[in-house]
Amino acid sequence: MQVTLFSLLMSVVWSSVLAAFNYLCRKKHFFIRQLGITNLLFLYLFSIVRMLVPYEFSFTRQIPSSEIFSGLYKDADLNEIGTSQISVLPALAVVWALVSVALMIRFVWQYARAMAEFSTYSVRDDEQCQRVFNRVLNASAKQMKITIRRSARISIPMGAGIFRKSILLPDAEYSDSQLYFILRHEYTHFQNRDLLMKAFIHIYWCIFWWNPAIYLLKRDFAQVLEIKCDLDVTEHMGNAKKAEYLTTIVTMLKHAEAKRQAKAFYGTTALVSKNYESEILERFKIVSASRGHKRRNLIFTGSWFLVFGMLIFASYSFVIRPDYEISAGGSEKGSQVPEPAGNSYRIKCVDGTYYVYFQ
């Protein structure tokens, strides 16, 4: 078991394919009805695991690539700059690492700054808030310590804090029904550990920021979490209650648009986002079409997981690589191959033989 440049490239390809495939399936509401949103969320983890485990195993078959691929690898590995030679691949790895570290530091800084600001918001402990929040606690299976705060600086209700949990409310008046749905939605996010999952996905994006498929996965993962939360909240509701719940979302969206600001970032969960109206419309359609608690198609679900499992196994069964590896330094330890000198380089074939090229 080893990690090589080419096993990493295969991981990028397969992870992107699995993420795109799962996204296309998730956009079809048929799969949500048959699999359930939780299973679709879990399938996204397949593409993440495939990217995080870029290994070549003992059963992995090496498939030699065309001469074009080999030439590209040679050009990328050794390049002459002035009178010296530089290896591009290590340089790219350094850039990758530096950008990843910078993105993670920025995320931690933004999170700490946001939590410090949220802690300055006034605690809402009036009679209405306590009464409605007790209803939320009574309807929930798990009791959690959460502080409810309010501020005029925000325009969208949101949940924040992985350790010190808070529900943040815009400084406005709410009916009991509106306040109940808002608190129930954010409380459900905390129950499902959605903030922790969003933080994990953001760190994953910080590491693999150069992969375009990660941006699609990150955005849709947040949408799937919101859909799951909506379905959990409205699971045992009738059509009238669902209509009240969706009306509350519309009211909060209008309030956010009127203020023309939304102080939120990826480390929080918001009841509604005014930036992506199409995603809000999708949530409305799914909640309206849901039929409450319904048994999933176990045969279809098992078959679908089997397909994904077979794709994961197939992705490890082969790796495409050039016919040779370039050695920019000296001979390997214990090797009997003479050291190239001057303006030359040595290549190692997959069968263990060497060629030395002189310009």
Side-chain angles (χ1 to χ4, degrees):
M1 188 171 66
Q2 62 178 346
V3 179
T4 65
L5 169 66
F6 307 102
S7 64
L8 178 60
L9 291 177
M10 293 297 294
S11 291
V12 173
V13 172
W14 278 102
S15 177
S16 302
V17 169
L18 290 172
F21 182 61
N22 196 60
Y23 171 78
L24 294 175
C25 295
R26 206 279 299 163
K27 297 296 287 185
K28 303 294 183 181
H29 295 173
F30 166 80
F31 288 94
I32 296 179
R33 293 193 302 269
Q34 296 296 321
L35 291 175
I37 195 67
T38 302
N39 288 328
L40 284 172
L41 188 66
F42 183 77
L43 287 176
Y44 262 127
L45 299 179
F46 276 55
S47 63
I48 297 175
V49 170
R50 184 61 183 90
M51 189 70 202
L52 294 177
V53 187
Y55 290 107
E56 289 184 28
F57 295 94
S58 57
F59 59 85
T60 303
R61 180 183 177 185
Q62 297 182 1
I63 300 178
S65 68
S66 64
E67 288 297 325
I68 297 178
F69 191 9
S70 301
L72 289 175
Y73 176 55
K74 177 172 70 73
D75 293 338
D77 194 67
L78 286 175
N79 283 271
E80 188 171 305
I81 299 179
T83 59
S84 61
Q85 288 184 330
I86 185 171
S87 183
V88 175
L89 295 179
L92 292 176
V94 171
V95 173
W96 174 10
L98 290 177
V99 175
S100 297
V101 171
L103 290 174
M104 285 190 281
I105 291 176
R106 187 185 69 170
F107 175 66
V108 172
W109 178 78
Q110 288 179 338
Y111 181 83
R113 183 182 178 185
M115 292 303 104
E117 179 180 338
F118 296 156
S119 64
T120 64
Y121 295 170
S122 60
V123 177
R124 179 168 178 176
D125 54 359
D126 56 274
E127 186 274 335
Q128 181 197 28
C129 188
Q130 291 181 356
R131 171 168 43 83
V132 174
F133 191 56
N134 285 333
R135 286 179 54 197
V136 174
L137 293 177
N138 293 333
S140 305
K142 184 178 180 181
Q143 304 287 312
M144 305 179 70
K145 183 180 180 181
I146 297 176
T147 304
I148 302 174
R149 300 178 181 272
R150 66 189 304 170
S151 174
R153 298 180 183 178
I154 60 174
S155 59
I156 297 174
M158 64 183 73
I162 297 176
F163 303 104
R164 293 182 297 175
K165 303 175 178 61
S166 299
I167 296 177
L168 311 175
L169 302 174
D171 194 3
E173 297 296 327
Y174 305 96
S175 66
D176 284 5
S177 176
Q178 290 176 333
L179 188 58
Y180 174 79
F181 289 131
I182 292 172
L183 296 180
R184 180 76 183 276
H185 179 93
E186 299 305 330
Y187 191 87
T188 302
H189 273 306
F190 285 117
Q191 281 189 310
N192 295 340
R193 296 182 175 85
D194 290 344
L195 277 85
L196 186 62
M197 296 180 68
K198 291 187 72 172
F200 169 75
I201 292 298
H202 191 83
I203 293 174
Y204 177 71
W205 169 79
C206 289
I207 298 174
F208 300 104
W209 53 269
W210 42 265
N211 185 358
I214 304 298
Y215 292 82
L216 173 65
L217 186 150
K218 180 185 174 185
R219 175 175 171 177
D220 197 58
F221 197 87
Q223 174 71 350
V224 173
L225 291 179
E226 290 299 330
I227 293 173
K228 183 178 184 301
C229 185
D230 290 335
L231 294 178
D232 288 343
V233 171
T234 61
E235 183 176 8
H236 300 289
M237 291 183 183
N239 291 332
K241 284 293 183 182
K242 287 181 181 179
E244 287 185 52
Y245 175 76
L246 297 177
T247 301
T248 300
I249 293 180
V250 173
T251 302
M252 295 301 103
L253 178 61
K254 291 181 178 179
H255 182 266
E257 290 177 341
K259 295 193 70 172
R260 298 182 179 275
Q261 62 176 349
K263 203 173 185 62
F265 73 108
Y266 199 79
T268 61
T269 57
L271 175 68
V272 63
S273 172
K274 66 178 183 179
N275 298 322
Y276 304 113
E277 285 79 5
S278 60
E279 296 181 356
I280 297 173
L281 180 61
E282 181 184 37
R283 289 169 58 186
F284 275 40
K285 290 181 179 180
I286 293 174
V287 171
S288 301
S290 65
R291 300 177 182 178
H293 184 70
K294 179 183 177 183
R295 295 186 63 183
R296 305 301 174 190
N297 190 328
L298 297 181
I299 297 178
F300 184 86
T301 301
S303 301
W304 204 248
F305 271 85
L306 180 61
V307 169
F308 263 78
M310 293 175 65
L311 286 175
I312 292 293
F313 179 80
S315 70
Y316 285 108
S317 63
F318 67 94
V319 61
I320 301 175
R321 59 188 305 160
D323 298 334
Y324 56 80
E325 296 179 354
I326 301 174
S327 176
S331 301
E332 297 179 0
K333 185 176 181 180
S335 173
Q336 300 301 316
V337 181
E339 173 72 21
N343 197 9
S344 63
Y345 59 88
R346 187 183 72 226
I347 61 176
K348 179 183 178 181
C349 301
V350 293
D351 61 359
T353 60
Y354 290 84
Y355 289 95
V356 179
Y357 282 83
F358 297 89
Q359 296 183 10

